[in-house]
Amino acid sequence: MMKTASIHQWILVALLVICSVMPAVTSDVSNHKYKSGDPVPLYANKVGPFQNPSETYRYFDLPFCLPGDLKEKKEALGEVLNGDRLVSAPYKLDFLVDKDSEMICSKKLTKQEVGKFRKAISKDYYFQMYFDDLPLWGFIGKYDANEQKYYLFKHLQFEVLYNKHHVIEVNVQPDPSALVDITQDKEANVDFMYTVRWKETDIPFQKRMNKYSQTSSLPHHLEIHWFSIINSCVTVLLLTGFLATILMRVLKNDFVKYAHDEEAAEDQEETGWKYIHGDVFRYPQYKSLFAAALGSGTQLFALTIFIFILALVGVFYPYNRGALFTALVVIYALTSGIAGYTASSFYCQLEGTNWVRNLVLTGSLFCGPLFITFCFLNTVAIGYSATAALPFGTIVIIGLIWGLVTSPLLVLGGIAGKNSKAEFQAPCRTTKYPREIPPLPWYRGTLPQMAMAGFLPFSAIYIELYYIFASVWGHRIYTIYSILFIVFIILVIVTAFITIALTYFQLAAEDHEWWWRSFVCGGSTGLFIYGYCLYYYYGRSDMTGFMQTSFFFGYMACICYAFFLMLGTIGFRAALFFVRHIYRSIKCE
């Protein structure tokens, strides 16, 4: 009874921790309905260089006018991970109340404050706010290259569209005639003002987010996306055609040849993949690490599928702040049991004995490098005083999720996998001593094979990669999740097929060490994606600075490592299915 009660208590605590990180209602007014004169919530979020999306700072790190009632908005875990730090803005936009050149404050900027604004304008700083959960952006000033002068915008003009009792759209523009010259390093008097204009529209409230999602659905963008899909489909058709015509014909000839060989003289020289049947199912080296990699890869594949399901049903609509990060954290925690079960079950099939060490390795194989990367990058963000630096409380919550949800589910999955008593299905018996692998040409080595294996899957996705990068590391909006899901399915198919083909050629050359080879060949697409990161950073983006460079290459290394584990698992599973199939089709003595 005590044991059952303790389990129930653990489940209750785990549920409380997970519920605490789920996105709460993001508006002060849950139904978004207002009457004339009602205050509509306006929050200032962050400022930062336009070309460096990760380098953002609190809005009032710049010496703007402070509101009389400065309040911080309580945010969910995903919003904090996204670098959002919402505080009440100094502008008051009451429902249907027009304002003309309303004064916020008259401020005398010191030399240091003028220097702050000038430095921000030189780096092309933008600001972001949220008005009734609708995002709006603007620049804080401009640099006139002809006059070589820096100007600060002191007058913002808000235009709000409404339909009955709902806010539909909001835009903000600076008044081009209200500029303050801050070129010289001296004090400046600034009258910060704003104007508000309300206009009626017939756009229904349910469609107010369409403005943001339609940017990625414009005709010329869709043409490129469909070209990407057609390109990927052609790759798949060529590859499947190759396997269906060449590989299956070769296999058929092999089966006929080996059937004749059984009837021929016993002293005939043995060649080909049949004659390594006694070694092909010999367990790989470092089988604990191998099983852990399979467990982590399977978990990451399950995580990807769940994220796609949420995306396709519309959970990740534009500017649903932090929803993606929250989903990643929660689903990764809840799928850790899959990693534990897969790794422990496969490890026991490989006749492993130290399953506890295998579970520890499984739990740290992906989380370990991710944690080290996070510690370094969070230290960099703290040094920059950026909003990307996580507060101590958020780190504690993530630690609680890992300790109360991820680890227990990993252990429970491991125990279930250990007790599954599954046996490794090998059609052929393994000989006592391994057969010697004949000398092979250089292009049959691991690295050349990885290059060949990664190139085709990467070529099927590289066009879509640009839009993903421009969304994650830029200010584009990506909402065409159906096309992205099709591209992902194509990536999985191409990875499986190319790994099968390379595994066949490896076995035909009498190289029976195919276990690790199939895994690293399947995962090599992750290395190609990281190579694309170099091209994107230096060739397609304007990102600069140590912090942005560290965040880009640090977190992309973790993402590409996740792709390596996930696609490596897919490659090995496909190769294992193929190898079992062909060896079941022949007589193994």
Side-chain angles (χ1 to χ4, degrees):
M1 290 294 292
M2 289 291 293
K3 186 176 180 181
T4 305
S6 63
I7 292 175
H8 287 165
Q9 289 173 354
W10 167 75
I11 292 173
L12 179 61
V13 171
L15 287 173
L16 287 173
V17 170
I18 290 177
C19 290
S20 69
V21 305
M22 296 301 287
V25 178
T26 57
S27 176
D28 292 347
V29 183
S30 59
N31 58 7
H32 296 275
K33 280 189 175 182
Y34 306 96
K35 297 177 182 177
S36 180
D38 284 350
V40 183
L42 174 64
Y43 292 102
N45 187 12
K46 52 193 176 185
V47 294
F50 186 77
Q51 69 274 12
N52 291 351
S54 299
E55 187 184 344
T56 54
Y57 305 93
R58 291 178 180 270
Y59 182 79
F60 289 111
D61 283 352
L62 291 178
F64 291 111
C65 294
L66 288 169
D69 54 343
L70 183 64
K71 295 179 182 178
E72 291 194 2
K73 188 177 186 298
K74 187 177 180 181
E75 294 166 316
L77 174 65
E79 295 174 290
V80 178
L81 293 175
N82 196 39
D84 292 336
R85 303 290 186 272
L86 273 67
V87 294
S88 51
Y91 309 98
K92 303 299 180 185
L93 277 66
D94 298 327
F95 194 67
L96 300 183
V97 177
D98 287 347
K99 293 183 180 181
D100 191 15
S101 299
E102 183 86 4
M103 179 77 75
I104 305 173
C105 74
S106 183
K107 189 168 185 178
K108 186 174 183 178
L109 299 178
T110 65
K111 290 182 181 180
Q112 291 78 13
E113 290 174 334
V114 168
K116 271 189 175 182
F117 274 124
R118 188 169 57 246
K119 183 180 178 181
I121 294 171
S122 68
K123 292 186 176 181
D124 212 16
Y125 267 44
Y126 73 101
F127 65 82
Q128 185 189 49
M129 298 182 183
Y130 281 94
F131 180 66
D132 192 39
D133 286 342
L134 293 173
L136 61 153
W137 312 263
F139 288 97
I140 67 169
K142 71 173 184 176
Y143 172 69
D144 192 323
N146 295 325
E147 300 180 3
Q148 294 186 343
K149 288 186 177 181
Y150 295 90
Y151 293 103
L152 175 67
F153 297 138
K154 68 174 184 177
H155 188 177
L156 294 183
Q157 299 171 325
F158 293 90
E159 182 184 81
V160 188
L161 304 184
Y162 71 96
N163 187 346
K164 296 180 181 178
H165 302 290
H166 296 287
V167 175
I168 303 301
E169 186 178 325
V170 60
N171 297 293
V172 61
Q173 294 289 338
D175 184 350
S177 62
L179 304 174
V180 179
D181 187 351
I182 56 171
T183 306
Q184 297 182 7
D185 196 12
K186 64 179 183 180
E187 294 180 350
N189 293 312
V190 183
D191 295 332
F192 287 100
M193 298 179 293
Y194 68 104
T195 295
V196 184
R197 293 285 181 266
W198 290 82
K199 295 182 179 179
E200 193 169 6
T201 181
D202 57 358
I203 300 174
F205 174 76
Q206 292 77 12
K207 295 184 178 180
R208 71 174 189 164
M209 282 295 178
N210 289 5
K211 168 190 172 182
Y212 308 102
S213 60
Q214 285 172 353
T215 55
S216 59
S217 304
L218 294 175
H220 62 280
H221 285 307
L222 282 176
E223 286 178 9
I224 297 173
H225 287 296
W226 282 114
F227 174 76
S228 171
I229 294 250
I230 293 170
N231 170 68
S232 303
C233 289
V234 168
T235 303
V236 172
L237 288 174
L238 289 175
L239 192 58
T240 51
F242 165 77
L243 284 175
T245 58
I246 305 299
L247 194 56
M248 298 309 293
R249 182 176 295 178
V250 169
L251 277 174
K252 184 178 179 181
N253 292 337
D254 286 347
F255 291 143
V256 173
K257 175 177 177 291
Y258 294 145
H260 285 305
D261 287 348
E262 291 172 4
E263 301 170 2
E266 294 183 0
D267 59 348
Q268 185 175 359
E269 183 182 357
E270 296 184 347
T271 58
W273 55 265
K274 176 189 175 182
Y275 301 106
I276 57 170
H277 62 80
D279 298 281
V280 75
F281 293 106
R282 189 180 304 280
Y283 300 147
Q285 290 182 313
Y286 314 110
K287 53 189 177 184
S288 182
L289 177 61
F290 190 81
L294 287 181
S296 298
T298 305
Q299 179 188 7
L300 291 169
F301 180 72
L303 169 66
T304 305
I305 295 298
F306 282 123
I307 290 295
F308 268 119
I309 291 173
L310 292 178
L312 292 172
V313 298
V315 172
F316 305 132
Y317 59 85
Y319 299 104
N320 183 6
R321 294 192 305 275
L324 177 59
F325 286 104
T326 302
L328 285 171
V329 171
V330 172
I331 296 175
Y332 183 84
L334 295 178
T335 54
S336 58
I338 296 175
Y341 179 85
T342 304
S344 183
S345 174
F346 198 80
Y347 180 65
C348 291
Q349 289 181 39
L350 299 182
E351 300 176 5
T353 54
N354 197 342
W355 66 277
V356 176
R357 186 182 67 178
N358 175 251
L359 271 186
V360 173
L361 187 59
T362 304
S364 58
L365 191 62
F366 179 70
C367 286
L370 181 62
F371 177 73
I372 293 171
T373 304
F374 161 75
C375 289
F376 171 72
L377 295 180
N378 202 57
T379 304
V380 172
I382 291 172
Y384 275 73
S385 299
T387 59
L390 295 189
F392 178 74
T394 303
I395 297 175
V396 170
I397 290 175
I398 294 176
L400 287 174
I401 293 173
W402 190 85
L404 296 176
V405 182
T406 305
S407 297
L409 288 178
L410 180 73
V411 172
L412 290 175
I415 294 172
K418 172 181 170 290
N419 295 332
S420 64
K421 305 296 184 183
E423 294 184 1
F424 186 76
Q425 302 295 324
C428 306
R429 288 179 298 180
T430 302
T431 57
K432 187 175 183 180
Y433 300 103
R435 186 186 184 99
E436 183 179 357
I437 299 174
L440 299 173
W442 66 269
Y443 57 84
R444 288 191 180 275
T446 301
L447 291 179
Q449 294 288 297
M450 287 176 66
M452 285 188 279
F455 176 75
L456 270 176
F458 175 76
S459 66
I461 65 169
Y462 81 97
I463 295 178
E464 206 67 24
L465 271 183
Y466 169 75
Y467 290 95
I468 301 299
F469 274 59
S471 175
V472 176
W473 300 106
H475 301 281
R476 283 180 178 265
I477 300 171
Y478 192 98
T479 57
I480 316 178
Y481 300 116
S482 55
I483 289 181
L484 186 61
F485 183 65
I486 295 171
V487 171
F488 176 74
I489 296 299
I490 291 171
L491 173 65
V492 170
I493 294 172
V494 175
T495 299
F497 282 175
I498 194 66
T499 308
I500 288 173
L502 291 177
T503 300
Y504 169 77
F505 292 130
Q506 181 182 356
L507 297 179
E510 300 182 32
D511 182 357
H512 52 78
E513 296 180 348
W514 62 276
W515 297 68
W516 275 110
R517 176 75 66 83
S518 63
F519 188 92
V520 297
C521 283
S524 60
T525 305
L527 302 179
F528 275 81
I529 296 175
Y530 200 67
Y532 181 83
C533 293
L534 294 169
Y535 163 73
Y536 182 83
Y537 183 85
Y538 291 106
R540 302 301 296 268
S541 78
D542 296 318
M543 291 184 278
T544 57
F546 178 72
M547 178 183 168
Q548 183 61 45
T549 304
S550 301
F551 268 68
F552 179 77
F553 287 107
Y555 280 127
M556 282 311 303
C558 294
I559 292 172
C560 293
Y561 177 51
F563 267 94
F564 178 82
L565 292 174
M566 179 180 68
L567 296 178
T569 299
I570 292 168
F572 169 74
R573 290 293 186 183
L576 179 62
F577 174 81
F578 170 76
V579 172
R580 279 175 171 163
H581 174 74
I582 63 173
Y583 281 94
R584 281 197 189 103
S585 303
I586 62 171
K587 277 187 182 179
C588 298
E589 297 178 0

